[in-house]
């Protein structure tokens, strides 16, 4: 008489092959819940696959995961993640707007209807491929940066789902991110900068562009400046806020990072332009009289209200075409400022490595270093490691060292822009 099989203990689960389609089924008994016996079922093409899934289910149960809780789809989880988590963890409003746009355009149409617990690496790979083959709202293929943003977004969303034990793994971690763009961008030269300064002469926002080039402030930081943030006598400028369009309206928000709250020394060239700009603004204010809507802004509209950031960019597009530098984005003035300061050797040799850690040029502007830079300019830093650009340390060091007050000789006879009155 054959030996009797030992009875399975409750919670061991059962694995069998279904005759209707030959799928292997793993079933975990969860006991009586609400006067009804509840079970959780997994499926596999082989017995081993079904047993592996059942084992993971048992491990999740042992960790206290609520196996009977409603399972969200990717779309549902993204909505919850953005509204209940990211909206309250210090994420900037503009970043939230970016995330929502990326989720709506690229992620939800491809994998939005898939349940979180059924998401696998193949789905993420398909998302990457579909994103690469799609088009933006302007009808162009998405940039490499956009593709990487999409991968980062789903990876972070699934990371929080894993920490909250809604999934047993973060499948996006198993898929390589799209490669970085290797497109070589032109470098802003000293001659280009001089030419730009000539082209913008007489512009209503001439001081705006001069400050962008000589201090490296971001567009939103410049637009958020008020006159009480500036002391022309001591040549100090306090960055306290930024102006951005969020949710369809202009708002003053905190600067991008905690270190963005800073004091910047203003070069003499910019001091002169700011004084001229102030006189022009006072004339506009007197002409309008009671119609002037005072916000105390340095860079305001013709009636005193905050400037629309996109309009500033549109005007810059006209100016760069006039200068014959169609590749020169407004943000490139900020990067050009850092490039010139580093090339001019304004960093103290003993503190160079420390300051470079706090004042690094974005890697996208350094795909190819100018031939006239010394090989050891960055010491042990590699170009691919250069990410953030925090220019206040460089600016203060440069001004106190006198590098921004007179023309400095660069390698091979190149000259720094003459920043004198």
């Amino acid at each position: 008489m054959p030996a009797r099989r030992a009875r399975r203990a409750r919670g061991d689960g059962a694995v069998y092959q279904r005759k209707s389609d030959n799928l292997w089924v793993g079933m975990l008994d969860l006991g009586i819940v609400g006067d009804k016996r509840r079970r959780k079922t997994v499926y596999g093409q082989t017995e081993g696959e079904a047993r592996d899934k059942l084992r993971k289910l048992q491990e999740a149960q042992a960790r206290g995961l609520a196996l009977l809780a409603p399972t969200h789809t990717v779309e549902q989880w993204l909505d919850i993640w953005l509204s209940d988590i990211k909206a309250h963890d210090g994420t900037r409003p503009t970043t939230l707007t970016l995330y929502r746009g990326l989720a709506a355009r690229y992620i939800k149409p491809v994998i939005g209807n898939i349940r979180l617990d059924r998401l696998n690496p193949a789905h993420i790979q398909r998302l990457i491929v579909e994103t690469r083959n799609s088009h933006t709202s302007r009808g162009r293929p998405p940039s490499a940066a956009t593709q990487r943003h999409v991968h980062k977004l789903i990876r972070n969303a699934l990371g929080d789902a894993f920490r909250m034990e809604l999934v047993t793994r973060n499948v996006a971690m198993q898929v390589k991110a799209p490669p970085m763009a290797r497109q070589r961008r032109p470098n802003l030269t000293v001659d280009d900068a001089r030419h730009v300064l000539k082209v913008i002469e007489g512009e209503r926002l001439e001081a705006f562009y001069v400050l962008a080039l000589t201090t490296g402030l971001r567009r939103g930081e410049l637009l958020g400046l008020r006159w009480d943030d500036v002391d022309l006598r001591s040549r100090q400028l306090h960055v306290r806020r930024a102006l951005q369009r969020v949710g369809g309206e202009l708002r003053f928000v905190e600067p991008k990072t905690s270190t963005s709250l800073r004091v910047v020394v203003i070069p003499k060239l910019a001091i002169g332009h700011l004084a001229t700009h102030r006189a022009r603004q006072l004339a506009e204010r007197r002409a309008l009289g009671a119609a002037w809507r005072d916000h105390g802004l340095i860079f305001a509209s013709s009636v005193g209200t905050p400037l629309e950031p996109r309009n500033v960019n549109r005007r810059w597009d006209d100016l760069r075409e006039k200068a014959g530098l169609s590749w020169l984005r407004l943000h490139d003035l900020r990067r050009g400022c850092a490039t010139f300061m580093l090339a001019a050797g304004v960093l103290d040799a003993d503190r160079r490595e420390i300051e470079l850690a706090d004042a690094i040029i974005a890697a996208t502007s350094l795909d190819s270093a100018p031939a006239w830079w010394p090989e050891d300019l960055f010491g042990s830093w590699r170009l691919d490691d250069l990410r953030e650009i925090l220019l206040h340390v460089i600016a203060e060091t440069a001004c106190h060292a006198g590098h921004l007050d007179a023309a400095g000789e660069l390698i091979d006879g190149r000259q720094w822009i003459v920043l004198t009155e």
Side-chain angles (χ1 to χ4, degrees):
M1 185 175 180
R4 281 185 112 177
R5 267 178 101 179
R7 184 182 181 91
R8 290 190 310 271
R10 177 170 295 178
D12 283 353
V15 176
Y16 63 92
Q17 189 173 26
R18 195 164 59 187
K19 292 183 179 180
S20 60
D21 54 11
N22 291 325
L23 270 181
W24 285 85
V25 181
M27 186 176 296
L28 180 63
D29 188 352
L30 302 178
I32 304 297
V33 179
D35 297 329
K36 292 184 66 175
R37 181 167 293 281
R38 300 287 184 174
R39 297 178 177 87
K40 192 76 173 177
T41 306
V42 293
Y43 304 90
Q45 295 294 331
T46 65
E47 181 181 4
E49 182 182 356
R51 289 192 180 279
D52 185 57
K53 289 183 177 180
L54 181 60
R55 177 182 56 78
K56 291 180 179 177
L57 202 61
Q58 291 166 332
E59 291 174 353
Q61 183 186 38
R63 293 199 309 270
L65 186 66
L67 298 180
L68 293 179
T71 302
H72 302 297
T73 63
V74 172
E75 179 172 358
Q76 291 170 337
W77 171 243
L78 283 174
D79 290 340
I80 294 171
W81 182 68
L82 289 171
S83 61
D84 295 348
I85 298 177
K86 299 307 292 179
H88 303 284
D89 68 354
T91 301
R92 290 165 60 81
T94 50
T95 303
L96 281 174
T97 300
L98 171 65
Y99 285 171
R100 292 190 177 101
L102 292 175
R105 176 169 288 276
Y106 300 109
I107 301 178
K108 292 180 180 180
V110 179
I111 61 173
N113 63 342
I114 300 174
R115 281 175 35 176
L116 281 179
D117 60 344
R118 295 182 179 176
L119 200 62
N120 61 48
H123 293 131
I124 306 300
Q125 187 61 51
R126 180 161 63 90
L127 170 64
I128 291 176
V129 173
E130 292 289 339
T131 300
R132 183 173 62 241
N133 296 334
S134 64
H135 292 85
T136 67
S137 57
R138 298 182 180 180
R140 296 181 297 202
S143 66
T146 296
Q147 296 174 46
R148 290 177 67 86
H149 276 312
V150 170
H151 178 266
K152 181 180 178 181
L153 174 58
I154 189 64
R155 185 190 67 201
N156 291 347
L158 293 178
D160 279 334
F162 175 75
R163 283 186 284 275
M164 296 177 66
E165 298 189 338
L166 298 177
V167 294
T168 57
R169 58 175 176 160
N170 183 348
V171 295
M173 295 289 290
Q174 299 173 256
V175 179
K176 288 184 178 179
M180 291 283 290
R182 293 300 176 189
Q183 180 182 3
R184 178 170 292 185
R185 292 186 55 80
N187 294 294
L188 182 66
T189 66
V190 173
D191 289 338
D192 289 337
R194 287 199 183 100
H195 182 50
V196 167
L197 291 176
K198 288 185 178 296
V199 169
I200 65 175
E201 284 182 2
E203 279 289 315
R204 183 176 182 275
L205 292 180
E206 181 179 359
F208 178 95
Y209 303 123
V210 170
L211 270 181
L213 179 62
T214 59
T215 66
L217 266 66
R218 300 177 179 90
R219 180 189 66 178
E221 293 171 345
L222 288 166
L223 294 177
L225 286 176
R226 295 192 173 102
W227 285 112
D228 57 12
D229 297 325
V230 174
D231 188 337
L232 298 182
R233 290 185 178 180
S234 65
R235 293 171 51 195
Q236 288 189 340
L237 180 156
H238 294 260
V239 179
R240 296 187 173 107
R241 72 196 69 80
L243 178 69
Q244 294 180 346
R245 179 163 288 281
V246 180
E249 62 180 22
L250 290 176
R251 295 183 191 174
F252 292 103
V253 299
E254 289 288 316
K256 188 172 184 179
T257 65
S258 58
T259 52
S260 295
L261 292 165
R262 62 198 187 277
V263 178
V264 176
V265 180
I266 311 172
K268 286 185 177 180
L269 174 68
I271 289 290
H273 283 81
L274 279 173
T276 301
H277 179 79
R278 189 167 199 171
R280 181 189 297 117
Q281 189 181 87
L282 287 173
E284 292 176 345
R285 182 171 183 170
R286 285 194 297 268
L288 281 181
W292 179 267
R293 299 168 62 185
D294 188 31
H295 289 260
L297 294 170
I298 295 178
F299 302 110
S301 70
S302 57
V303 295
T305 55
L307 279 169
E308 169 58 56
R310 287 175 294 187
N311 290 341
V312 175
N313 276 71
R314 292 188 185 104
R315 181 52 187 158
W316 175 253
D317 290 343
D318 294 337
L319 292 172
R320 69 180 184 178
E321 291 294 336
K322 182 179 177 181
L325 301 170
S326 59
W327 55 269
L328 186 63
R329 302 168 302 177
L330 182 59
H331 193 69
D332 289 331
L333 298 182
R334 170 176 164 82
R335 292 174 176 173
C337 174
T339 302
F340 295 147
M341 288 182 178
L342 287 170
V346 300
L347 297 180
D348 181 81
D350 294 333
R351 299 183 61 204
R352 180 177 62 179
E353 192 164 327
I354 297 174
E355 291 179 352
L356 277 175
D358 293 329
I360 293 302
I361 302 173
T364 51
S365 67
L366 291 173
D367 288 338
S368 60
W372 44 273
W373 282 14
E375 291 183 1
D376 65 344
L377 176 63
F378 294 102
S380 60
W381 292 86
R382 295 182 300 109
L383 294 185
D384 287 343
D385 293 330
L386 308 181
R387 286 289 183 263
E388 293 299 321
I389 175 172
L390 303 173
L391 290 172
H392 58 290
V393 177
I394 291 181
E396 290 176 347
T397 305
C399 284
H400 289 304
H403 289 282
L404 298 187
D405 294 340
E409 291 294 329
L410 296 185
I411 300 167
D412 294 339
R414 293 176 183 262
Q415 289 187 329
W416 172 243
I417 301 174
V418 182
L419 297 177
T420 57
E421 290 178 309

